[in-house]
Amino acid sequence: MQLIIVESPTKARTISKFLGREYKVKSSFGHIRDLPQKEMGVDIENNFIPKYVVNRKAQKKVKPLKEEMKKAASVILATDEDREGEAIAWHLSEILKLNPQEKNRIVFHEITKKAIEEALERPRSIDFHLVDAQQARRVLDRLVGYELSPLLWKKIKRGLSAGRVQSIALRIICEREREIEKFEKQVFWAISAILRPKVRPSEASEGRTFGSFEATLTEQSGTKIEESVTLKLFAGDYKTKKTIFADEKTAQEIKAELEKAAYQVSEIAKKETSRTPPPPFTTSTLQQAAINSLGFSAKQTMMIAQKLYEQGHITYMRTDSVNLSLPSMLAAKKTIEKFFGKNYALESPRFYKTRAKGAQEAHEAIRPTHPEVAPDELNGSLDINQHKLYRLIWRRMVASQMQPAIFDSVKVLISAKSDKNEYIFQANGSTIKFDGYLKIYGDSPLTTSPNKNEKGENPPKIDQFKEVVRGKIPVTENILPPLEEKEILNLEKINTTRKETAPPPRYNEATLVKVLEENGIGRPSTYAPTISTIIERKYVDKNEERRLFPLEIGFLVNDLLVEHFGQIVDMKFTATLEEDFDRIAEGKKQWVPVIREFYEPFHKNLEGKSKEIKKEDVLEKLDKKCPECGGDLLVRFGRFGKFIACNNFPKCKYTEKTAEEKKVEDENSGETCDKCGAPMVVKRGKYGAFLGCSKYPDCKNIKKITSDKTTGVKCPKCEKGEILERRSRKGRLFYGCSAYPKCDFSLWNRPTGKKCEKCGSLMVYQMKGTEKCSNKECK
């Protein structure tokens, strides 16, 4: 019997289905060894040798593996193919005392019978270059975390952390917030004309009429009226546009002039354009698409993708390559011909070039292991979120091997001559000539009949996906009436619209992942945990539109790091370290010199800054003195929120409550316990302020302090309470009835106050200010 060891039980069960009785597949349940939790675990004086330990939980997993090993003729290590998986294989080899030079390591990109059998035919020894690259990252991150985090505890608050990638992510969000605050809006006026073609005699005799269309003013006597505004920001340029009309008076004067002008078509330009499908998913683009299209978080996306991989439905989900294997592309071609017809398939496969920095071309993109298996064929075997993500991956991969979408686009220039000036208006129109790969995202806009192939078979059941829209792919835009050059047009109306230049938007998880990848910060495996960490640390939060914004503690941590540890939060420096890790993985660099080159100047700077930085330079200093010792009073952060304390702590232990806390106490004074009648007092706990009985522990009655913001909307369920803005224990924003717990009505989206015309349920806001019915069954 041969023993195969993998990381997860699900992966073990899937592989067991493909192998005979001569193999036994067992799981290590993740990492067996790691650095210790309660000490540095790195011997700095001795070439940064890490001290690995087997924790108690892992010890319980090691014993059965050793027992199984005694019965086995050989042991095969089949952990994941990336650096993390290689490191796990090495740790297992060390604990089980295997020969590291022995060819007992197999890797595969997908969990299929063919892939497993091929891997077993080509075993190799452990790749120590990959192990060194993972070890270098782990050691460097431990050095930064264990040495820099205590400084934050002393100067700001206990429990804070700093890290190479997380601190860059925090800085990107903080810099964007300040860029938004500094942004000065510019008011401008846009002018458009509603025009209609004159009815030609032949068309009048046929009773044909054409609708009006809108054209935008672009020129005034040869001068372009639209200007581009480019802002140099921390994480890249931001571009916006405005017109040269900066005040309403000018816009109204031009409107009056245009209302008397003569309109004529001056030029018509028609062209055919094509859009090729986007490449199959990498880790980064999968996270972005799942966040935008499905509303998943980066962490949730990776957890679901991990399950799909371990069950054998998709290839390995941590990759920065867009390559596809030839057999998978040929399988996709057959799928396209089956469901959509031969005219939608390519004659030869389409190959994509990976653009990500440091991408490993030998790996494959994320794709279905069996492209011929449509999403609906997995109904019942996947839960709803797994099904959604599989469908997203399947569509993207199959679409990448479909024909381009062909568009007929037209640009019409219209001359408007007045007594003073000649103006140029522009109207654009676009329609799909051939839907190509868009076919896989829903019914063709060319027909309302079912999309059947040549054999009369229906395609997989699929609904319209947001990613088509987000990819800026128009299905039909502003259909224009038939026009001819020099044709005279009738003016129906001149519109003047007041607009403002928009500030750069806050990042959401998708755009943050994108900017991290574009700047070479982190790797596919680090994006999701990085975002989770800065949210869990309360450095940042999400608003109703799921946009990330920094909290007060996040600003404090970021500002301290930027001022005193600029190298740690420098994007170019961090990207260079990532390149060093890549060179270590390729065997082109040794890991110890890379760590030493970083650590020695970092540690020297840290020692100096520990003495130099004073709390009063970081924390808010009040304009009053300590009544006990005369020291400065600072606003400090404790376990349960802010409080005022003397800067001479621990010599002076004077504290007082903040104005906000005093206000809460004043607002809740006079409350009595509804169980024993004793006065209720304000207390603070993990989730904020609450009222507790003054006779505690004899009476343990508590009551929530309602500091929730009102929406002004009456609860539709009990018709007595009011809907308030609240937060869950995990910090997620929601809207619930003020009569809770008697009434449990709640919503995830903010109610508008209006009711649905169809079902009478409350309408709620969606992203970008649009509205929808809160009743999921109402369309």
Side-chain angles (χ1 to χ4, degrees), residues 576-709:
T576 301
L577 277 175
E578 294 293 349
E579 291 169 4
D580 286 339
F581 295 149
D582 291 341
R583 292 191 187 100
I584 293 167
E586 294 163 2
K588 296 177 181 177
K589 265 197 171 187
Q590 296 296 311
W591 75 272
V592 173
V594 170
I595 301 299
R596 182 174 287 113
E597 187 181 349
F598 164 83
Y599 178 74
E600 289 179 352
F602 164 74
H603 181 71
K604 186 178 179 180
N605 180 50
L606 181 69
E607 285 184 321
K609 293 296 182 181
S610 296
K611 299 172 185 175
E612 176 190 327
I613 301 170
K614 297 178 180 178
K615 288 178 183 175
E616 51 264 40
D617 297 332
V618 179
L619 301 173
E620 181 187 352
K621 186 163 76 172
L622 300 179
D623 193 19
K624 61 178 182 178
K625 299 292 182 180
C626 173
E628 292 186 3
C629 74
D632 292 325
L633 290 181
L634 307 175
V635 178
R636 299 189 64 178
F637 293 85
R639 286 179 62 202
F640 304 133
K642 292 195 288 186
F643 65 99
I644 296 169
C646 181
N647 73 327
N648 290 325
F649 178 85
K651 291 180 181 179
C652 177
K653 297 184 179 179
Y654 174 81
T655 62
E656 65 178 70
K657 293 164 184 173
T658 61
E660 293 89 344
E661 193 169 1
K662 288 176 182 176
K663 183 182 176 184
V664 170
E665 289 191 355
D666 291 341
E667 289 173 351
N668 291 279
S669 62
E671 287 269 354
T672 56
C673 177
D674 52 14
K675 288 189 177 179
C676 72
M680 298 289 278
V681 292
V682 176
K683 296 185 177 183
R684 288 196 165 270
K686 186 178 178 181
Y687 302 111
F690 66 96
L691 289 173
C693 183
S694 57
K695 285 194 173 182
Y696 178 88
D698 295 330
C699 178
K700 297 181 180 179
N701 186 28
I702 60 171
K703 187 178 178 182
K704 185 176 179 181
I705 292 175
T706 306
S707 57
D708 306 309
K709 297 176 185 176

Side-chain angles (χ1 to χ4, degrees), residues 96-113:
L96 300 176
K97 296 180 181 178
L98 304 177
N99 181 359
Q101 303 304 320
E102 185 183 336
K103 291 186 176 181
N104 57 7
R105 171 86 170 109
I106 63 169
V107 293
F108 37 84
H109 188 65
E110 60 187 26
I111 304 175
T112 59
K113 183 177 175 63

Side-chain angles (χ1 to χ4, degrees), residues 16-27:
S16 296
K17 295 175 186 176
F18 305 130
L19 300 175
R21 292 182 179 178
E22 65 270 27
Y23 292 98
K24 194 164 191 177
V25 189
K26 287 292 180 181
S27 167

